[in-house]
Amino acid sequence: MTPSVGAAAPDFSLKDQNQKDIKPSDFQGKKNVVIVFYPLDWSPICTNEHACFVNDMKRFEQLDAAVLGLSVDSVWSHKAFAEKMGIQYSLLADFQPRGAVADKFGVYLADKGITGRAIAIVDRAGKLAWFKNYDIPTVPDVKEVADALTKLK
């Protein structure tokens, strides 16, 4: 079940590609957090999606937002994917138990064993400020996400 916009966002702690524990609450009071839920590292659509975020990182930095990618892939897959793609933001491994964090946001697809494609914005107060599900074969519109962030300022 997806948390409601305006409600407190689920907090969690996951390791990123550098073995660092990352929690959305680490950014509370400092930055808005964009959580990019995606099915799998290395897949064509996910690769395009991350290329869009990498290319637009300056815009997200100007909007004072931290970007976090999240999928069921392992820390090691994330590390190789981030190096290949030039990703500087954290890719979080929702690996064990598989999809547990994505499930808190209502985007884990248990029948497929993967994370669905969605984007959540958690505001500085720790509330879910914006959320959108996307079809698996759809690359999310990064401009739409930036526009949602702009409205939070």
Side-chain angles (χ1 to χ4, degrees):
M1 175 107 165
T2 306
S4 304
V5 169
D11 199 26
F12 57 87
S13 180
L14 290 174
K15 291 210 180 295
D16 74 0
Q17 69 269 33
N18 299 311
Q19 298 279 339
K20 185 176 174 194
D21 288 312
I22 304 290
K23 297 186 296 217
S25 59
D26 292 341
F27 301 96
Q28 209 161 327
K30 301 174 198 148
K31 290 181 178 274
N32 295 309
V33 180
V34 176
I35 305 172
V36 180
F37 295 94
Y38 65 100
L40 293 167
D41 293 342
W42 309 106
S43 66
I45 308 277
C46 297
T47 298
N48 290 344
E49 178 178 15
H50 283 287
C52 292
F53 276 98
V54 167
N55 292 338
D56 261 354
M57 274 317 291
K58 283 217 181 342
R59 185 185 330 186
F60 287 96
E61 288 164 7
Q62 290 165 346
L63 291 168
D64 206 25
V67 174
L68 305 174
L70 188 149
S71 77
V72 296
D73 294 289
S74 70
V75 167
W76 306 114
S77 178
H78 282 338
K79 186 165 184 60
F81 187 60
E83 286 172 3
K84 172 81 172 154
M85 295 291 299
I87 296 170
Q88 300 298 312
Y89 50 87
S90 291
L91 297 179
L92 306 178
D94 195 8
F95 187 67
Q96 199 62 27
R98 188 174 188 90
V101 171
D103 198 43
K104 289 181 182 184
F105 285 85
V107 297
Y108 180 61
L109 305 174
D111 58 326
K112 294 179 172 69
I114 59 172
T115 309
R117 191 174 313 284
I119 296 180
I121 297 175
V122 179
D123 68 16
R124 286 179 183 85
K127 298 209 182 309
L128 187 64
W130 189 83
F131 185 88
K132 185 167 181 183
N133 269 304
Y134 296 86
D135 286 335
I136 297 277
T138 302
V139 175
D141 182 355
V142 175
K143 183 185 178 319
E144 176 183 42
V145 179
D147 288 348
L149 273 169
T150 303
K151 291 176 184 159
L152 296 181
K153 285 202 155 207

